Each structure stands twice: as C-alpha cells, then as structure tokens.
Amino acid sequence: MEKVANNLMFPCKHKQTGCRMSLGLNEKAEHEEVCEFRPYSCPCPGASCSWQGQLEKVMVHLQHAHQNITTLNGEDIVFLATEINLPGAVDWVMMQSCFGHHFMLILEKQEKCDGHTQFFAIVQLIGSRKQAEHFAYRLELNGNRRRLTWEAMPRSSHEGVASAIMGSDCLVFDTSIAQLFADNGNLGINVTISIVC
Amino acid sequence: MEKVANNLMFPCKHKQTGCRMSLGLNEKAEHEEVCEFRPYSCPCPGASCSWQGQLEKVMVHLQHAHQNITTLNGEDIVFLATEINLPGAVDWVMMQSCFGHHFMLILEKQEKCDGHTQFFAIVQLIGSRKQAEHFAYRLELNGNRRRLTWEAMPRSSHEGVASAIMGSDCLVFDTSIAQLFADNGNLGINVTISIVC
C-alpha cells in the first residue's frame, strides 16, 4: 500500500497560485516548504505579525498594518537609524523603492548574553529569490576617515532575513564601530541598490 | 620648593633623537610617552619581542629577528592567511612595501570566553602618525557575490595596533564571514594602499 502511494503523483498545494509541479508523497511536503508560489509572510523582522498573502499584496499589507515604516524612492538613499544607544534589542526598518521593486532595509541590534552588542544590517527584496538574483546592494558606513562597506545580493522576502542575520551573512558591526560612525546617537547607512547584468 | 620645580623647564629625554621641547616636570613624563622622537618598538603584534630602536632600524630588525615575515612589493597585493580554521588565538603578519614606505599587515584571530571567534585585520605604517596621515588603506574580502570592505588611515607603528583591535577600529569579522570568503581554509584579503592628497 505504501509502495503504491509512493508511486502516485500529487499536485503541489500551491497549484492555484501557479505551481505546476506534481510530486510523490515523500517530496511533496519538502517542496511546498520552498515552493516559489507559496504565500509570502510579512517581511517585518521578528515574528509579531502572522500575515500571509500573495506577493502583490505585501506592500498593501505593509502600508496598512505597518504605517510607521517610511518609504524612500531612489536607488541611492540614506537609512537613518536614530537613537542607536537605547538599550535592549531593537529593529530599525524602512522601505526603499527603485527599479520598479520594493526593498526592505533592516538594522537589528542584538545583545549577547555576555553583554556584547552587535548590529546586523541587511536588505531584502519584496519578491522571489529568482528576482533577487538580478540585484545587488551596498551598505556603507562613512566618517572620520573610515569606511565600512558590505555588498551582496539582497535576500528574498520568501527566504526571510533571520537565517542570514544568524549566520552573519550581512553587514555586522559592534558598538565601538557604531560609535565611530554615529553622530549624536544617530547612525546613517548609505544604501545603494543596483541591477546586476 | 615644589612651586620652584614646577616653574623650571627640562628638555625632553628624546632630545638626542631630535625633540626640541622643554617642559615643566608635570608635563615632561606625559609628553615623553607620546613624543614622536621616542624609540620605536618592534611592530609585531603581541609582546614577545622587546626590541626598541630608531625608525630607520625597524625594517633591519624585522629582516633579522623575524625572518619568517614575507614582504610583497606594490600598492595592491593579496594578503593570504592560511589555515584560518586552526584553533586558538593566531596572528598572521606580512609586510607590504610601496610609495617608499613599509606597511605591516596584521590579521589577528581571537577566541572570546563564550566560544565566539573574531578576526581583526589592520594595516600599520612603519613610521610616525604624521606620516601615516598621508595614506589610506583598503582591506577587501571578496567572493560568492559578496564583498566586505574596510577603509581607513593606517595606524602608526608608534601607536601600535593593540588599542585599535581592542576598540574594533579595524576590519572585524566572525567565523561565519571568514567561511563565506575562505577557500579551503585559506583566506585572501585584498590590500590596497593609496596616497591621500
């Protein structure tokens, strides 16, 4: 009976949103977890928002449910994180719109158990991984004859940024560096998005 | 009696190597600690070498007492740190010669008490702080569609690099980042020295 079930093919549960794959029972669950037609989750960092929906609805959701998130237009903007010295874990979030796409800029402050504080800055595209592959982003801290730069491919909001931040696959810096570049407790991060040919 | 002593002026103890300052007793010791005519210490990281001497003698000392340090010529070179996965605190050191000056490239691996490993990369000029102000250096990790860059003024070997490393005023990255950019346990750091106008 099990053998028969393994030979049968079932359509992906995201068939209605466009997936045409049919899979054996064993592969089906695994595929559906990463299927590019699965619904998007709210891209805000942290797990406080449980919204899910289609890609086209993500910006509408953000504009309604997260009205405090600023959007700047252009491929070259400044992401200003204010009061970076406030204690505790904090997220700074803003949107950047360019090239007909929306990107979420995230600066996350984490306090490790030994009192060591780290900042993680990353960019994610509101879109699929395939779409993200066409872009590159640059984050730059500037000042006092110093410059720290991180360049990478944006994360897809389908993948989320948590694993990248956990694995330091983003711009990482500690409090000393933040102080070097901050002005009166406010840290400006130059963000540039570009198209990769 | 104390008042009289405070009004007297004494020459700096580095008079013979060129310092022309005379100072009151209170300021004299403080000045001599940072006097630009004081002898240079061996610029190798760590405190294992107690050599001190004139600036012109530093390279001679390095060539004799630290023969394992490679020197590359040119303003744009690759600093290859091999076997970065070896456990424990390790220093990688090499020299770069360009613009008629010698620069020491240092990569230091530190293991924090909580098991968190950090790498610190920095460039110091074999020369005074005034000389260092005429240069800038860029350290670059490259690969897998990612780039991490740090640009700053070189440290002077008179100041040493310990305080900069302690304060993260250098290129800082952790093991995850090192793995992203390393090839088979070997990490290449692109180093570019330039003249600041």
Side-chain angles (χ1 to χ4, degrees), chain A residues 114 116 118 133 135 145-153 167-169 174 176-177 180-181 196, chain B residues 114 116 118 133 135 145-153 167-170 174 176-177 180-181 196:
Chain A
D114 61 348
H116 187 68
Q118 282 191 305
E133 281 175 2
F135 297 99
R145 287 193 65 180
R146 290 164 181 85
R147 188 187 293 147
L148 178 63
T149 312
W150 168 257
E151 291 160 277
M153 189 181 96
S168 297
D169 188 9
D174 64 15
S176 315
I177 287 280
L180 268 177
F181 292 105
V196 178
Chain B
D114 62 347
H116 187 69
Q118 282 191 306
E133 282 174 3
F135 297 99
R145 287 193 65 179
R146 290 165 181 86
R147 187 187 292 147
L148 178 62
T149 312
W150 168 257
E151 292 161 277
M153 189 181 97
S168 296
D169 187 9
C170 54
D174 64 16
S176 316
I177 287 280
L180 268 177
F181 292 106
V196 178

mmCIF file of all heavy atoms in Angstrom, chain A residues 114 116 118 133 135 145-153 167-169 174 176-177 180-181 196, chain B residues 114 116 118 133 135 145-153 167-170 174 176-177 180-181 196:
data_model
loop_
_atom_site.group_PDB
_atom_site.id
_atom_site.type_symbol
_atom_site.label_atom_id
_atom_site.label_comp_id
_atom_site.label_asym_id
_atom_site.label_seq_id
_atom_site.Cartn_x
_atom_site.Cartn_y
_atom_site.Cartn_z
ATOM 1 N N ASP A 114 26.831 37.837 27.046
ATOM 2 C CA ASP A 114 27.996 38.361 27.767
ATOM 3 C C ASP A 114 28.075 39.890 27.707
ATOM 4 O O ASP A 114 29.107 40.466 28.009
ATOM 5 C CB ASP A 114 29.287 37.741 27.219
ATOM 6 C CG ASP A 114 29.481 38.078 25.746
ATOM 7 O OD1 ASP A 114 28.526 38.579 25.131
ATOM 8 O OD2 ASP A 114 30.578 37.856 25.226
ATOM 9 N N HIS A 116 27.972 41.724 25.074
ATOM 10 C CA HIS A 116 28.488 42.178 23.782
ATOM 11 C C HIS A 116 27.302 42.511 22.869
ATOM 12 O O HIS A 116 26.414 41.703 22.682
ATOM 13 C CB HIS A 116 29.340 41.043 23.192
ATOM 14 C CG HIS A 116 30.069 41.420 21.950
ATOM 15 N ND1 HIS A 116 31.093 42.333 21.947
ATOM 16 C CD2 HIS A 116 29.934 41.008 20.673
ATOM 17 C CE1 HIS A 116 31.550 42.466 20.711
ATOM 18 N NE2 HIS A 116 30.863 41.671 19.921
ATOM 19 N N GLN A 118 25.814 43.551 19.142
ATOM 20 C CA GLN A 118 26.121 43.540 17.713
ATOM 21 C C GLN A 118 24.970 44.117 16.909
ATOM 22 O O GLN A 118 23.802 43.948 17.260
ATOM 23 C CB GLN A 118 26.422 42.111 17.249
ATOM 24 C CG GLN A 118 27.829 41.655 17.627
ATOM 25 C CD GLN A 118 28.195 40.363 16.920
ATOM 26 O OE1 GLN A 118 27.468 39.381 17.021
ATOM 27 N NE2 GLN A 118 29.320 40.353 16.220
ATOM 28 N N GLU A 133 18.082 37.729 -7.535
ATOM 29 C CA GLU A 133 19.366 37.468 -8.212
ATOM 30 C C GLU A 133 19.743 38.546 -9.215
ATOM 31 O O GLU A 133 20.890 38.634 -9.625
ATOM 32 C CB GLU A 133 19.316 36.101 -8.915
ATOM 33 C CG GLU A 133 19.512 34.955 -7.953
ATOM 34 C CD GLU A 133 19.340 33.588 -8.599
ATOM 35 O OE1 GLU A 133 19.103 33.545 -9.823
ATOM 36 O OE2 GLU A 133 19.437 32.580 -7.876
ATOM 37 N N PHE A 135 19.671 41.678 -8.600
ATOM 38 C CA PHE A 135 20.066 42.912 -7.904
ATOM 39 C C PHE A 135 21.287 42.699 -7.011
ATOM 40 O O PHE A 135 21.631 41.580 -6.647
ATOM 41 C CB PHE A 135 18.904 43.433 -7.040
ATOM 42 C CG PHE A 135 17.694 43.814 -7.849
ATOM 43 C CD1 PHE A 135 16.615 42.947 -7.978
ATOM 44 C CD2 PHE A 135 17.652 45.040 -8.499
ATOM 45 C CE1 PHE A 135 15.508 43.298 -8.745
ATOM 46 C CE2 PHE A 135 16.550 45.393 -9.274
ATOM 47 C CZ PHE A 135 15.479 44.525 -9.393
ATOM 48 N N ARG A 145 37.401 59.541 8.346
ATOM 49 C CA ARG A 145 38.418 58.888 7.521
ATOM 50 C C ARG A 145 38.352 57.367 7.599
ATOM 51 O O ARG A 145 39.371 56.676 7.578
ATOM 52 C CB ARG A 145 39.833 59.365 7.867
ATOM 53 C CG ARG A 145 40.125 60.772 7.381
ATOM 54 C CD ARG A 145 41.591 61.103 7.453
ATOM 55 N NE ARG A 145 42.401 60.297 6.560
ATOM 56 C CZ ARG A 145 43.718 60.401 6.450
ATOM 57 N NH1 ARG A 145 44.362 61.287 7.170
ATOM 58 N NH2 ARG A 145 44.397 59.629 5.633
ATOM 59 N N ARG A 146 37.127 56.863 7.762
ATOM 60 C CA ARG A 146 36.934 55.416 7.782
ATOM 61 C C ARG A 146 35.716 55.084 6.944
ATOM 62 O O ARG A 146 34.779 55.883 6.854
ATOM 63 C CB ARG A 146 36.678 54.924 9.210
ATOM 64 C CG ARG A 146 37.879 54.987 10.116
ATOM 65 C CD ARG A 146 37.435 54.858 11.547
ATOM 66 N NE ARG A 146 38.556 54.947 12.472
ATOM 67 C CZ ARG A 146 39.047 56.087 12.931
ATOM 68 N NH1 ARG A 146 38.517 57.242 12.565
ATOM 69 N NH2 ARG A 146 40.071 56.076 13.773
ATOM 70 N N ARG A 147 35.697 53.910 6.369
ATOM 71 C CA ARG A 147 34.521 53.461 5.630
ATOM 72 C C ARG A 147 34.408 51.943 5.756
ATOM 73 O O ARG A 147 35.380 51.216 5.562
ATOM 74 C CB ARG A 147 34.636 53.856 4.160
ATOM 75 C CG ARG A 147 33.341 53.569 3.381
ATOM 76 C CD ARG A 147 33.523 53.816 1.884
ATOM 77 N NE ARG A 147 33.724 55.221 1.592
ATOM 78 C CZ ARG A 147 34.492 55.688 0.605
ATOM 79 N NH1 ARG A 147 35.136 54.866 -0.182
ATOM 80 N NH2 ARG A 147 34.622 56.981 0.420
ATOM 81 N N LEU A 148 33.206 51.493 6.107
ATOM 82 C CA LEU A 148 32.930 50.064 6.184
ATOM 83 C C LEU A 148 31.820 49.762 5.185
ATOM 84 O O LEU A 148 30.765 50.401 5.213
ATOM 85 C CB LEU A 148 32.494 49.683 7.604
ATOM 86 C CG LEU A 148 32.112 48.224 7.831
ATOM 87 C CD1 LEU A 148 33.294 47.288 7.587
ATOM 88 C CD2 LEU A 148 31.587 48.023 9.259
ATOM 89 N N THR A 149 32.077 48.821 4.286
ATOM 90 C CA THR A 149 31.146 48.557 3.190
ATOM 91 C C THR A 149 30.815 47.072 3.105
ATOM 92 O O THR A 149 31.713 46.232 3.233
ATOM 93 C CB THR A 149 31.781 48.992 1.840
ATOM 94 O OG1 THR A 149 32.331 50.292 1.981
ATOM 95 C CG2 THR A 149 30.753 49.009 0.730
ATOM 96 N N TRP A 150 29.562 46.778 2.884
ATOM 97 C CA TRP A 150 29.133 45.390 2.661
ATOM 98 C C TRP A 150 28.328 45.363 1.369
ATOM 99 O O TRP A 150 27.412 46.174 1.186
ATOM 100 C CB TRP A 150 28.275 44.898 3.829
ATOM 101 C CG TRP A 150 27.555 43.601 3.573
ATOM 102 C CD1 TRP A 150 26.230 43.450 3.278
ATOM 103 C CD2 TRP A 150 28.104 42.270 3.598
ATOM 104 N NE1 TRP A 150 25.930 42.113 3.125
ATOM 105 C CE2 TRP A 150 27.051 41.367 3.312
ATOM 106 C CE3 TRP A 150 29.385 41.753 3.843
ATOM 107 C CZ2 TRP A 150 27.237 39.981 3.252
ATOM 108 C CZ3 TRP A 150 29.572 40.380 3.782
ATOM 109 C CH2 TRP A 150 28.513 39.507 3.493
ATOM 110 N N GLU A 151 28.701 44.476 0.452
ATOM 111 C CA GLU A 151 27.972 44.341 -0.807
ATOM 112 C C GLU A 151 27.528 42.893 -0.966
ATOM 113 O O GLU A 151 28.320 41.972 -0.730
ATOM 114 C CB GLU A 151 28.877 44.739 -1.975
ATOM 115 C CG GLU A 151 29.195 46.223 -2.002
ATOM 116 C CD GLU A 151 30.429 46.530 -2.835
ATOM 117 O OE1 GLU A 151 31.554 46.398 -2.306
ATOM 118 O OE2 GLU A 151 30.269 46.898 -4.000
ATOM 119 N N ALA A 152 26.294 42.696 -1.383
ATOM 120 C CA ALA A 152 25.772 41.332 -1.551
ATOM 121 C C ALA A 152 24.506 41.360 -2.387
ATOM 122 O O ALA A 152 24.016 42.425 -2.776
ATOM 123 C CB ALA A 152 25.495 40.706 -0.186
ATOM 124 N N MET A 153 23.999 40.184 -2.649
ATOM 125 C CA MET A 153 22.706 40.043 -3.310
ATOM 126 C C MET A 153 21.630 40.194 -2.232
ATOM 127 O O MET A 153 21.784 39.646 -1.142
ATOM 128 C CB MET A 153 22.636 38.639 -3.914
ATOM 129 C CG MET A 153 21.481 38.372 -4.822
ATOM 130 S SD MET A 153 21.573 36.621 -5.394
ATOM 131 C CE MET A 153 20.461 35.854 -4.208
ATOM 132 N N GLY A 167 23.622 33.798 10.710
ATOM 133 C CA GLY A 167 24.901 33.345 10.159
ATOM 134 C C GLY A 167 25.847 34.466 9.790
ATOM 135 O O GLY A 167 26.858 34.242 9.128
ATOM 136 N N SER A 168 25.516 35.702 10.196
ATOM 137 C CA SER A 168 26.370 36.883 9.925
ATOM 138 C C SER A 168 26.576 37.128 8.440
ATOM 139 O O SER A 168 27.576 37.728 8.058
ATOM 140 C CB SER A 168 27.734 36.748 10.610
ATOM 141 O OG SER A 168 27.602 36.699 11.996
ATOM 142 N N ASP A 169 25.659 36.666 7.597
ATOM 143 C CA ASP A 169 25.779 36.895 6.158
ATOM 144 C C ASP A 169 25.136 38.247 5.817
ATOM 145 O O ASP A 169 24.145 38.325 5.090
ATOM 146 C CB ASP A 169 25.113 35.748 5.401
ATOM 147 C CG ASP A 169 25.368 35.826 3.901
ATOM 148 O OD1 ASP A 169 26.181 36.663 3.478
ATOM 149 O OD2 ASP A 169 24.740 35.052 3.158
ATOM 150 N N ASP A 174 30.018 46.067 15.725
ATOM 151 C CA ASP A 174 29.726 46.142 17.160
ATOM 152 C C ASP A 174 29.585 47.603 17.597
ATOM 153 O O ASP A 174 29.645 48.526 16.798
ATOM 154 C CB ASP A 174 30.766 45.373 17.965
ATOM 155 C CG ASP A 174 32.148 45.978 17.834
ATOM 156 O OD1 ASP A 174 32.256 47.121 17.366
ATOM 157 O OD2 ASP A 174 33.119 45.306 18.200
ATOM 158 N N SER A 176 31.494 49.643 19.240
ATOM 159 C CA SER A 176 32.617 50.572 19.008
ATOM 160 C C SER A 176 32.553 51.140 17.600
ATOM 161 O O SER A 176 32.760 52.338 17.391
ATOM 162 C CB SER A 176 33.958 49.861 19.179
ATOM 163 O OG SER A 176 33.965 49.063 20.306
ATOM 164 N N ILE A 177 32.290 50.261 16.625
ATOM 165 C CA ILE A 177 32.202 50.711 15.241
ATOM 166 C C ILE A 177 30.996 51.649 15.079
ATOM 167 O O ILE A 177 31.099 52.698 14.435
ATOM 168 C CB ILE A 177 32.065 49.491 14.299
ATOM 169 C CG1 ILE A 177 33.391 48.733 14.200
ATOM 170 C CG2 ILE A 177 31.568 49.896 12.918
ATOM 171 C CD1 ILE A 177 34.400 49.357 13.256
ATOM 172 N N LEU A 180 31.929 54.990 16.197
ATOM 173 C CA LEU A 180 32.854 55.663 15.277
ATOM 174 C C LEU A 180 32.099 56.409 14.182
ATOM 175 O O LEU A 180 32.520 57.465 13.725
ATOM 176 C CB LEU A 180 33.745 54.627 14.584
ATOM 177 C CG LEU A 180 35.085 54.261 15.207
ATOM 178 C CD1 LEU A 180 35.747 53.176 14.396
ATOM 179 C CD2 LEU A 180 35.978 55.487 15.287
ATOM 180 N N PHE A 181 30.996 55.809 13.734
ATOM 181 C CA PHE A 181 30.290 56.355 12.576
ATOM 182 C C PHE A 181 29.032 57.149 12.955
ATOM 183 O O PHE A 181 28.483 57.859 12.115
ATOM 184 C CB PHE A 181 29.919 55.224 11.613
ATOM 185 C CG PHE A 181 31.096 54.584 10.937
ATOM 186 C CD1 PHE A 181 31.558 53.330 11.313
ATOM 187 C CD2 PHE A 181 31.767 55.252 9.916
ATOM 188 C CE1 PHE A 181 32.649 52.738 10.689
ATOM 189 C CE2 PHE A 181 32.861 54.684 9.285
ATOM 190 C CZ PHE A 181 33.304 53.425 9.673
ATOM 191 N N VAL A 196 22.167 43.862 -11.562
ATOM 192 C CA VAL A 196 23.302 43.040 -11.973
ATOM 193 C C VAL A 196 23.039 42.544 -13.391
ATOM 194 O O VAL A 196 21.972 41.980 -13.663
ATOM 195 C CB VAL A 196 23.470 41.840 -11.027
ATOM 196 C CG1 VAL A 196 24.622 40.961 -11.482
ATOM 197 C CG2 VAL A 196 23.688 42.313 -9.607
ATOM 198 N N ASP B 114 33.196 33.086 25.505
ATOM 199 C CA ASP B 114 31.964 32.343 25.230
ATOM 200 C C ASP B 114 32.065 31.498 23.954
ATOM 201 O O ASP B 114 31.054 31.030 23.433
ATOM 202 C CB ASP B 114 30.766 33.301 25.138
ATOM 203 C CG ASP B 114 30.932 34.293 23.998
ATOM 204 O OD1 ASP B 114 32.055 34.391 23.466
ATOM 205 O OD2 ASP B 114 29.961 34.968 23.649
ATOM 206 N N HIS B 116 32.946 32.506 21.036
ATOM 207 C CA HIS B 116 32.770 33.338 19.840
ATOM 208 C C HIS B 116 34.157 33.746 19.327
ATOM 209 O O HIS B 116 34.976 34.272 20.067
ATOM 210 C CB HIS B 116 31.948 34.565 20.227
ATOM 211 C CG HIS B 116 31.551 35.420 19.078
ATOM 212 N ND1 HIS B 116 30.640 35.010 18.132
ATOM 213 C CD2 HIS B 116 31.936 36.656 18.707
ATOM 214 C CE1 HIS B 116 30.486 35.971 17.237
ATOM 215 N NE2 HIS B 116 31.276 36.976 17.557
ATOM 216 N N GLN B 118 36.547 35.922 16.740
ATOM 217 C CA GLN B 118 36.557 37.105 15.883
ATOM 218 C C GLN B 118 37.912 37.283 15.228
ATOM 219 O O GLN B 118 38.955 36.963 15.816
ATOM 220 C CB GLN B 118 36.207 38.351 16.698
ATOM 221 C CG GLN B 118 34.704 38.484 16.977
ATOM 222 C CD GLN B 118 34.358 39.838 17.532
ATOM 223 O OE1 GLN B 118 34.922 40.270 18.525
ATOM 224 N NE2 GLN B 118 33.418 40.522 16.907
ATOM 225 N N GLU B 133 49.237 59.849 8.217
ATOM 226 C CA GLU B 133 48.117 60.688 7.759
ATOM 227 C C GLU B 133 48.092 60.896 6.248
ATOM 228 O O GLU B 133 47.079 61.300 5.699
ATOM 229 C CB GLU B 133 48.150 62.048 8.465
ATOM 230 C CG GLU B 133 47.617 61.976 9.878
ATOM 231 C CD GLU B 133 47.773 63.283 10.640
ATOM 232 O OE1 GLU B 133 48.251 64.264 10.043
ATOM 233 O OE2 GLU B 133 47.420 63.292 11.833
ATOM 234 N N PHE B 135 48.393 58.548 4.104
ATOM 235 C CA PHE B 135 47.999 57.308 3.426
ATOM 236 C C PHE B 135 46.593 56.856 3.820
ATOM 237 O O PHE B 135 46.050 57.268 4.835
ATOM 238 C CB PHE B 135 49.000 56.185 3.758
ATOM 239 C CG PHE B 135 50.381 56.465 3.269
ATOM 240 C CD1 PHE B 135 51.362 56.970 4.119
ATOM 241 C CD2 PHE B 135 50.705 56.259 1.933
ATOM 242 C CE1 PHE B 135 52.640 57.257 3.654
ATOM 243 C CE2 PHE B 135 51.976 56.541 1.458
ATOM 244 C CZ PHE B 135 52.952 57.035 2.326
ATOM 245 N N ARG B 145 29.535 36.457 -4.612
ATOM 246 C CA ARG B 145 28.660 37.622 -4.772
ATOM 247 C C ARG B 145 28.522 38.433 -3.491
ATOM 248 O O ARG B 145 27.446 38.995 -3.184
ATOM 249 C CB ARG B 145 27.255 37.205 -5.271
ATOM 250 C CG ARG B 145 27.230 36.789 -6.724
ATOM 251 C CD ARG B 145 25.824 36.698 -7.270
ATOM 252 N NE ARG B 145 25.159 37.985 -7.310
ATOM 253 C CZ ARG B 145 23.926 38.167 -7.764
ATOM 254 N NH1 ARG B 145 23.240 37.143 -8.227
ATOM 255 N NH2 ARG B 145 23.361 39.352 -7.767
ATOM 256 N N ARG B 146 29.619 38.469 -2.730
ATOM 257 C CA ARG B 146 29.629 39.280 -1.522
ATOM 258 C C ARG B 146 30.970 40.007 -1.447
ATOM 259 O O ARG B 146 31.979 39.501 -1.939
ATOM 260 C CB ARG B 146 29.499 38.394 -0.277
ATOM 261 C CG ARG B 146 28.149 37.766 -0.096
ATOM 262 C CD ARG B 146 28.237 36.652 0.924
ATOM 263 N NE ARG B 146 26.959 36.012 1.119
ATOM 264 C CZ ARG B 146 26.505 35.011 0.354
ATOM 265 N NH1 ARG B 146 27.230 34.553 -0.652
ATOM 266 N NH2 ARG B 146 25.331 34.466 0.615
ATOM 267 N N ARG B 147 30.960 41.161 -0.823
ATOM 268 C CA ARG B 147 32.215 41.875 -0.621
ATOM 269 C C ARG B 147 32.133 42.659 0.689
ATOM 270 O O ARG B 147 31.136 43.343 0.949
ATOM 271 C CB ARG B 147 32.481 42.840 -1.785
ATOM 272 C CG ARG B 147 33.868 43.488 -1.715
ATOM 273 C CD ARG B 147 34.030 44.563 -2.776
ATOM 274 N NE ARG B 147 34.067 43.994 -4.109
ATOM 275 C CZ ARG B 147 33.582 44.595 -5.199
ATOM 276 N NH1 ARG B 147 33.021 45.771 -5.101
ATOM 277 N NH2 ARG B 147 33.664 44.005 -6.370
ATOM 278 N N LEU B 148 33.160 42.507 1.493
ATOM 279 C CA LEU B 148 33.250 43.264 2.745
ATOM 280 C C LEU B 148 34.509 44.110 2.660
ATOM 281 O O LEU B 148 35.600 43.596 2.411
ATOM 282 C CB LEU B 148 33.317 42.303 3.934
ATOM 283 C CG LEU B 148 33.467 42.935 5.314
ATOM 284 C CD1 LEU B 148 32.275 43.821 5.663
ATOM 285 C CD2 LEU B 148 33.637 41.854 6.388
ATOM 286 N N THR B 149 34.353 45.427 2.864
ATOM 287 C CA THR B 149 35.465 46.347 2.669
ATOM 288 C C THR B 149 35.634 47.259 3.883
ATOM 289 O O THR B 149 34.641 47.753 4.423
ATOM 290 C CB THR B 149 35.200 47.244 1.432
ATOM 291 O OG1 THR B 149 34.788 46.424 0.344
ATOM 292 C CG2 THR B 149 36.443 48.013 1.028
ATOM 293 N N TRP B 150 36.869 47.462 4.276
ATOM 294 C CA TRP B 150 37.175 48.424 5.347
ATOM 295 C C TRP B 150 38.232 49.374 4.824
ATOM 296 O O TRP B 150 39.245 48.937 4.277
ATOM 297 C CB TRP B 150 37.693 47.675 6.584
ATOM 298 C CG TRP B 150 38.301 48.562 7.631
ATOM 299 C CD1 TRP B 150 39.631 48.745 7.885
ATOM 300 C CD2 TRP B 150 37.603 49.383 8.597
ATOM 301 N NE1 TRP B 150 39.808 49.619 8.921
ATOM 302 C CE2 TRP B 150 38.580 50.028 9.383
ATOM 303 C CE3 TRP B 150 36.256 49.628 8.862
ATOM 304 C CZ2 TRP B 150 38.249 50.906 10.427
ATOM 305 C CZ3 TRP B 150 35.931 50.504 9.891
ATOM 306 C CH2 TRP B 150 36.916 51.127 10.662
ATOM 307 N N GLU B 151 37.971 50.667 4.931
ATOM 308 C CA GLU B 151 38.941 51.670 4.502
ATOM 309 C C GLU B 151 39.237 52.611 5.662
ATOM 310 O O GLU B 151 38.308 53.058 6.352
ATOM 311 C CB GLU B 151 38.372 52.469 3.324
ATOM 312 C CG GLU B 151 38.227 51.650 2.052
ATOM 313 C CD GLU B 151 37.263 52.282 1.057
ATOM 314 O OE1 GLU B 151 36.042 52.079 1.216
ATOM 315 O OE2 GLU B 151 37.731 52.967 0.152
ATOM 316 N N ALA B 152 40.497 52.902 5.861
ATOM 317 C CA ALA B 152 40.881 53.785 6.970
ATOM 318 C C ALA B 152 42.301 54.293 6.763
ATOM 319 O O ALA B 152 42.976 53.918 5.798
ATOM 320 C CB ALA B 152 40.784 53.032 8.305
ATOM 321 N N MET B 153 42.735 55.135 7.683
ATOM 322 C CA MET B 153 44.110 55.605 7.701
ATOM 323 C C MET B 153 44.932 54.544 8.416
ATOM 324 O O MET B 153 44.471 53.996 9.422
ATOM 325 C CB MET B 153 44.151 56.911 8.502
ATOM 326 C CG MET B 153 45.431 57.667 8.474
ATOM 327 S SD MET B 153 45.273 59.175 9.517
ATOM 328 C CE MET B 153 46.018 58.559 11.044
ATOM 329 N N GLY B 167 39.405 48.175 20.310
ATOM 330 C CA GLY B 167 38.240 49.037 20.097
ATOM 331 C C GLY B 167 37.528 48.770 18.784
ATOM 332 O O GLY B 167 36.671 49.535 18.374
ATOM 333 N N SER B 168 37.898 47.678 18.093
ATOM 334 C CA SER B 168 37.270 47.302 16.812
ATOM 335 C C SER B 168 37.428 48.371 15.735
ATOM 336 O O SER B 168 36.606 48.451 14.830
ATOM 337 C CB SER B 168 35.778 47.005 16.985
ATOM 338 O OG SER B 168 35.604 45.893 17.816
ATOM 339 N N ASP B 169 38.466 49.205 15.844
ATOM 340 C CA ASP B 169 38.682 50.236 14.831
ATOM 341 C C ASP B 169 39.531 49.643 13.701
ATOM 342 O O ASP B 169 40.656 50.073 13.431
ATOM 343 C CB ASP B 169 39.360 51.443 15.478
ATOM 344 C CG ASP B 169 39.452 52.627 14.522
ATOM 345 O OD1 ASP B 169 38.841 52.561 13.440
ATOM 346 O OD2 ASP B 169 40.135 53.602 14.879
ATOM 347 N N CYS B 170 38.982 48.625 13.063
ATOM 348 C CA CYS B 170 39.686 47.869 12.020
ATOM 349 C C CYS B 170 38.646 46.988 11.327
ATOM 350 O O CYS B 170 37.459 47.111 11.608
ATOM 351 C CB CYS B 170 40.808 47.023 12.648
ATOM 352 S SG CYS B 170 40.259 45.940 13.976
ATOM 353 N N ASP B 174 33.509 37.666 11.910
ATOM 354 C CA ASP B 174 33.480 36.448 12.705
ATOM 355 C C ASP B 174 33.684 35.211 11.818
ATOM 356 O O ASP B 174 33.904 35.321 10.619
ATOM 357 C CB ASP B 174 32.207 36.361 13.551
ATOM 358 C CG ASP B 174 30.967 36.272 12.691
ATOM 359 O OD1 ASP B 174 31.093 35.969 11.485
ATOM 360 O OD2 ASP B 174 29.872 36.484 13.221
ATOM 361 N N SER B 176 31.705 32.891 10.675
ATOM 362 C CA SER B 176 30.776 32.664 9.560
ATOM 363 C C SER B 176 31.216 33.451 8.334
ATOM 364 O O SER B 176 31.204 32.937 7.210
ATOM 365 C CB SER B 176 29.360 33.106 9.924
ATOM 366 O OG SER B 176 29.015 32.680 11.194
ATOM 367 N N ILE B 177 31.584 34.713 8.547
ATOM 368 C CA ILE B 177 32.031 35.553 7.435
ATOM 369 C C ILE B 177 33.333 34.992 6.863
ATOM 370 O O ILE B 177 33.499 34.900 5.644
ATOM 371 C CB ILE B 177 32.220 37.009 7.924
ATOM 372 C CG1 ILE B 177 30.871 37.671 8.171
ATOM 373 C CG2 ILE B 177 33.050 37.824 6.926
ATOM 374 C CD1 ILE B 177 30.170 38.170 6.934
ATOM 375 N N LEU B 180 32.555 32.228 4.598
ATOM 376 C CA LEU B 180 31.939 32.684 3.343
ATOM 377 C C LEU B 180 32.998 33.038 2.312
ATOM 378 O O LEU B 180 32.818 32.826 1.119
ATOM 379 C CB LEU B 180 31.107 33.944 3.603
ATOM 380 C CG LEU B 180 29.645 33.804 3.941
ATOM 381 C CD1 LEU B 180 29.042 35.166 4.219
ATOM 382 C CD2 LEU B 180 28.893 33.129 2.799
ATOM 383 N N PHE B 181 34.117 33.616 2.786
ATOM 384 C CA PHE B 181 35.114 34.142 1.861
ATOM 385 C C PHE B 181 36.336 33.239 1.718
ATOM 386 O O PHE B 181 37.128 33.425 0.807
ATOM 387 C CB PHE B 181 35.560 35.535 2.312
ATOM 388 C CG PHE B 181 34.483 36.584 2.186
ATOM 389 C CD1 PHE B 181 33.816 37.076 3.295
ATOM 390 C CD2 PHE B 181 34.136 37.080 0.934
ATOM 391 C CE1 PHE B 181 32.821 38.038 3.179
ATOM 392 C CE2 PHE B 181 33.155 38.038 0.795
ATOM 393 C CZ PHE B 181 32.493 38.518 1.925
ATOM 394 N N VAL B 196 46.870 59.914 0.177
ATOM 395 C CA VAL B 196 45.768 60.853 0.340
ATOM 396 C C VAL B 196 46.291 62.247 0.004
ATOM 397 O O VAL B 196 47.313 62.672 0.536
ATOM 398 C CB VAL B 196 45.253 60.830 1.798
ATOM 399 C CG1 VAL B 196 44.143 61.838 1.978
ATOM 400 C CG2 VAL B 196 44.785 59.442 2.163
#
